Amino acid sequence: MKTGVFICHCGLNIGGVVDIPKVLESLSDYDSLGYVTDYRYMCSDPGQQLIKDAIRDKGLTGVVVAACSPAMHESTFRRVAEVAGLNPFRCEMANIREQCSWPHRGEPEKATEKASAIIRASLEKVRRNLELSSLSIPVTRQALVIGGGIAGMQAALDIADAGYKVTLVERLPYIGGHMAQLSETFPTLDCSQCILTPKSSEVGSHPNIDLFTNSEIHAISGYVGNFNVTIRRRTSYVNWDVCNGCGLCMEKCPVKRDSDFELGLAKTKAVSIAFPQAVPNRPVIDSEVCRHFTHGKCGVCEKVCPVGAIDFEQEDTFVDVKTGAIIVATGYDLHPKTKVGEYGYGVVKDVIDGLEFERLNSASGPTQGEIRRPSDGKIPKEIVFIQCVGSRDEENGYPYCSKICCMYTAKHARLYKHKVPDGQPYVFYMDIRAGGKGYEEFVQRTIEEEGVLYLRGRVSRVFEENGKTVVFGVDTLSNKKVEIYGDMVVLATAIIPSHGQTNLARLLKISTDEWGFLSEAHPKLRPVESLTRGIYIAGCAQAPKDIPDSVTQAGSAAAKVLALFSSDTLSHTPEVAFVDEELCRGCGLCIEACAYDARTLDVRRGLAVVNEVLCEGCGACQVACPSGATFQRNMDTAQVMSMIDAVI
Amino acid sequence: MKLSREVIATEDKRKLQDISGEEVLSCYQCGKCSAGCAMTEAMDLLPHQVIRLLQLGQVEEALHSRTIWVCASCLACSARCPRGMNLPNVMESLRAQVLRPGDRSLNPADIPYELLEIIPEQALVAAFRKYT
Amino acid sequence: MVYSYFPGCTLRAKAKGFDSSALASCKVLGVRFLELQEWQCCGATFPLQIDNSFPLVSPARTLASAKKAGRKLVTLCSACYNVLKRTNHVLREDLDKREKVCAFIEEDYFGDVEVLHLLEILRDKIGFGSLAAKVVSSFRGLPVAAYYGCLLLRPPDEVGIDDPEAPKVLEDFLSSLQCQPVEYPYKTECCGSYVALRPGELTVSPSRLIVESAKSRGAKVIVTSCPLCQFNLDYAQSENVARGEKAVPVVYFTQLLAIALGLGEEVLQFDGHIVPPGLIFQAAGVGGVGA
């Protein structure tokens, strides 16, 4: 046994606190030490070369790199060891930065002692480390995308275009998400439908995409490369395979209801297709209002359907899918109307939200694109936009910025001005956040050329008086309180995760932040990966973002999936738990302790069994096991004890 | 302050724009002008605040400000303005709004004789062009 | 080198020393100034009302007269320089205004006479190197602060004889006379200009800040090229002078030039200055200038 110790200065991060020559000296009494040296940046190319040379020249059988956290560079140095002919699992890192020089900056002598102790502990560990080899996992090269908005569609298309099968699951009867509801898009003002429709139909007809709309994830099991998913296809009471989308049922249906797609600004029928360009172009019967279900009679649709597609007996169906990777792109909702009392939302009829304004603006919307206020259909001549409704309001909403509102409000004000040239738009804002290509220019043009009056401040109250929508607020630039007797108010309500996202995250065992947005593995370097291998995230499900960012993130998630699919097997760390079958009594405590579902009970043999692929080597089972039957490979009890001995 | 179409797009505001050639809405309110103005000590409103009043249609208030008479047209603000706005032109347009009907803001009799004796001619010419 | 010369009104009244020191110095340097036969006041301030072309008439007349003389037009006063250059700019760029003004003065003038400041001639035609060679009376490292003010520099795209935020032409000029240029943060700040005629308006005079800043950095003299700047900076020190405190004389750059070239007191005409410059020069042992 000849172990080498390589101490990194990490510039001044370690070297500026820990007395490295002293540490080197303190190790001199350690037996079986093959080589000790230090270097300014061990992770640099010359640093790595130094390790490689020492392994070869000194015939080292183990390596301890005393540097930063293993989370940072363990894989780097293990690769170095492997290249030099050493089993990579005989290379360990001693963390003398995060656990020593950083927290003990003010006490260099103690830090030096501690660094020495940490290195000794690592030497003990390496001494008992086994020569392991990585585990191999088969990969099912098919993907599942959850959410059929622009992010999900883009991810599905990118994977499908690369030649792999994709299952796309969307809760609503159609794909396109909120983008399908938008009128024009910033900062170019191209029509949302015009750029979305080609993508939707491509998704609908792509030979590699299996589209499940009106569907949800019912159950999920498995792990990276090998997920088993059950999709619940909700009944539409229409046999979509037979239906040809002629729309006769919708035309003849006698029951009217508020259109969800039009956000209640227009009516639709009990049997309906959300909008004319919907993909798939198939109707759904709303059993809550359909007279067949509420009164037990009617059946007009059934009578008029030329192809006999109406099926009142149809039930939910379940489809099992095997998939190697999952992309979650479940999108967003808006902060609920009822929660902003001072803005009269839900009480004053002419106070609407941004999405509703999109529908008013849309040529295919309830007013055919004319800006008419909901109360009396009049064209508003003075319109007030209020930003940060729920956003950047820690006390009454959310602390975060919803990111897209500055831009869409500028867009709304501008589109309004185009349609009502003699009208006056006002925008109450706190800051204008227009960081994006062409965004700032767009906002400034809106202010300067369209004459939209930006007022820097929040609004205190919105109420109705003599047919006017009155807004009280402040302009902190002039330090004047502001009163506007306007005709209509549009609220830029906060973006929140789509309802059901928290449940889905639980089902997938991926984490969310306190607001329900999906957590990424690393905010900068792994922004599209969840902490669970094989599950990726894209779009507003992760955080509020605009269309370009959603599309970018979707493409990036797809690239990650494709990288996963580049081989039909995956490697997994062998540093996982194992069960000593002689000692295990089958009590099952370890199964409860495991956070990764990596343990099952073999009832027949009365033993706990480890699914090595799911095991993350956290050690919870080792602690839980009352019989001492469970160990982590290369972190067994004897190793831990000797490490403790080395320290104290 | 009640805001309405009528308030923010007044005839006065249009006139100011005709005289100054500047669109006050282009101002960011970043404050660069006020930060570098040498004369702020004697001003009741900072230059950017005058612009803000105009953006809000509060022309009267701007016209009553001391600031417009203290501005020395030194152009430090316009040379640095990130939006390229000629603030001195706007100040000039406000002065013109007061002076054109025949008002004057500097009475020759108010200038102390001792000062008159020594101040360069150039100052007198400039001041009477700016203040009368 | 022969140029048409536009003195402007102040140089023939309260700023005579600026005029005489410049003309005498130029003679020594071999530069001939031929005063325009016809000139009138430039208006002292460039008109900022874009709907009124009338204030352009007077400077346009002067410019048209220079055109007829067929030479480049030189001026000394920063204000004149500013107004003439900006008028030229408008007459070149704004056809509508040009038409109006030309109709009024009954001349065809297109803004095409080159307007130069004496500093530009010293820098670009003579060169500060050649100038240094002609110095007969060195200032021997006298610390002098250059004060630019506004009109030589702004607006930079129409006027600027140098970088508007970091000019150095005056410093280079001072170096060529073996003065030690003093760097201080106020050299391009406004002195208050014509607002000086509204007594009581300014509680702390911007001129005072300028002088104090230069003084605190060791300046013994301040140079300028604008009579109003000269006056404001000088006047701001009236009380100091009255109380017999230390004050910094404010002189025209041409007055330093004349001293360096060995010219006598008769061309300097320091008599109108509030802070008497003579003592400083005497103390510095320059050119036998008396108090």
Side-chain angles (χ1 to χ4, degrees), chain B residues 18-19 21 41-42 66 70-76 80 92 96 100 105 117-123 127 129-131, chain C residues 10 13-14 43-45 49-51 55 79 86 150 154-155 165 190 194-195 197-199 201 203 226-228 231:
Chain B
D18 287 346
I19 301 174
E41 184 65 34
R66 263 176 68 175
V70 176
C71 166
S73 307
C74 80
L75 311 196
R80 293 170 180 161
E92 182 87 355
R100 283 191 183 178
S105 142
E117 271 217 303
I118 52 173
I119 200 162
E121 290 68 20
Q122 158 197 5
R129 293 186 75 161
K130 292 287 182 182
Y131 298 139
Chain C
T10 309
K14 301 253 170 54
T45 171
Q49 302 171 9
I50 67 152
D51 65 341
R86 295 196 74 182
C150 322
R154 298 188 284 262
E165 301 290 0
C190 177
Y194 50 80
V195 184
L197 276 164
R198 300 174 75 91
E201 195 79 77
T203 48
C226 170
L228 187 46
F231 172 78

Side-chain angles (χ1 to χ4, degrees), chain B residues 6 10 15 29 41 45 48 63 70 77-78 81 83 87-88 93-94 96 101 103 107 113 124 126 130 132:
Chain B
E6 293 72 28
T10 55
K15 238 190 282 170
Q29 288 286 295
E41 184 65 34
L45 293 172
H48 80 276
L63 290 176
V70 176
C77 50
S78 52
C81 175
R83 299 289 286 152
L87 267 89
S93 70
L94 287 161
D103 258 359
N107 190 342
Y113 182 71
L124 294 165
K130 292 287 182 182
T132 59

Side-chain angles (χ1 to χ4, degrees), chain A residues 45-115:
Chain A
D45 275 353
Q48 294 187 22
Q49 192 57 44
L50 196 142
I51 300 176
K52 283 182 209 163
D53 291 346
I55 292 173
R56 290 192 190 114
D57 300 347
K58 315 281 176 195
L60 301 179
T61 56
V63 163
V64 170
V65 183
C68 53
S69 159
M72 183 74 82
H73 272 312
E74 186 180 78
S75 57
T76 311
F77 291 118
R78 286 193 167 168
R79 217 166 26 234
V80 167
E82 193 170 16
V83 169
L86 197 66
N87 180 288
F89 297 96
R90 305 222 34 141
C91 170
E92 285 290 341
M93 289 193 75
N95 183 353
I96 59 166
R97 192 179 75 173
E98 285 85 343
Q99 294 182 352
C100 183
S101 69
W102 279 358
H104 305 301
R105 211 172 282 270
E107 35 192 0
E109 276 178 29
K110 285 186 178 172
T112 304
E113 259 175 59
K114 186 175 176 181

Side-chain angles (χ1 to χ4, degrees), chain A residues 1-4 32-35 57-63:
Chain A
M1 190 76 209
K2 268 172 90 180
T3 310
S32 76
L33 205 60
Y35 186 64
D57 300 347
K58 315 281 176 195
L60 301 179
T61 56
V63 163

Side-chain angles (χ1 to χ4, degrees), chain A residues 381-382 422-424 426 429 440 444-445 447-448 451-456 475 477-485, chain B residues 1-9 13 23-29 48-49 52-58 61 83:
Chain A
K381 292 295 184 184
E382 310 220 32
D422 63 334
Q424 178 61 50
Y426 306 84
Y429 71 101
E440 175 66 19
Q444 289 309 324
R445 276 204 307 277
I447 294 171
E448 190 177 342
V452 176
L453 188 63
Y454 271 66
L455 299 159
R456 202 271 172 203
D475 175 52
L477 293 176
S478 58
N479 285 328
K480 287 181 189 298
K481 291 187 74 160
V482 175
E483 294 175 20
I484 299 169
Y485 291 76
Chain B
M1 172 177 61
K2 280 187 188 172
L3 291 181
S4 67
R5 279 187 290 177
E6 293 72 28
V7 169
I8 62 175
K13 204 172 150 189
E23 171 54 69
V24 289
L25 284 174
S26 72
C27 168
Y28 274 150
Q29 288 286 295
H48 80 276
Q49 291 176 305
R52 185 60 182 162
L53 287 176
L54 299 181
Q55 288 180 331
L56 298 169
Q58 310 297 302
E61 196 175 336
R83 299 289 286 152

Side-chain angles (χ1 to χ4, degrees), chain A residues 403-514:
Chain A
K403 201 171 175 193
I404 61 170
C405 325
C406 285
M407 286 308 297
Y408 78 60
T409 298
K411 176 191 78 177
H412 285 169
R414 196 153 167 179
L415 292 173
Y416 166 78
K417 203 59 185 151
H418 291 176
K419 287 176 175 169
V420 189
D422 63 334
Q424 178 61 50
Y426 306 84
V427 177
F428 281 94
Y429 71 101
M430 295 214 296
D431 297 284
I432 303 174
R433 298 182 169 179
K437 195 171 181 175
Y439 287 13
E440 175 66 19
E441 298 92 316
F442 181 89
V443 172
Q444 289 309 324
R445 276 204 307 277
T446 301
I447 294 171
E448 190 177 342
E449 289 167 21
E450 310 286 358
V452 176
L453 188 63
Y454 271 66
L455 299 159
R456 202 271 172 203
R458 284 209 191 240
V459 163
S460 63
R461 185 152 295 280
V462 177
F463 59 93
E464 201 177 331
E465 195 171 274
N466 304 326
K468 287 283 179 189
T469 313
V470 187
V471 179
F472 285 177
V474 71
D475 175 52
T476 62
L477 293 176
S478 58
N479 285 328
K480 287 181 189 298
K481 291 187 74 160
V482 175
E483 294 175 20
I484 299 169
Y485 291 76
D487 300 309
M488 186 169 159
V489 170
V490 182
L491 305 179
T493 40
I495 280 192
I496 58 174
S498 66
H499 72 277
Q501 179 160 299
T502 313
N503 279 339
L504 179 67
R506 213 169 286 145
L507 211 56
L508 293 169
K509 295 197 180 63
I510 56 175
S511 54
T512 58
D513 65 16
E514 60 179 313

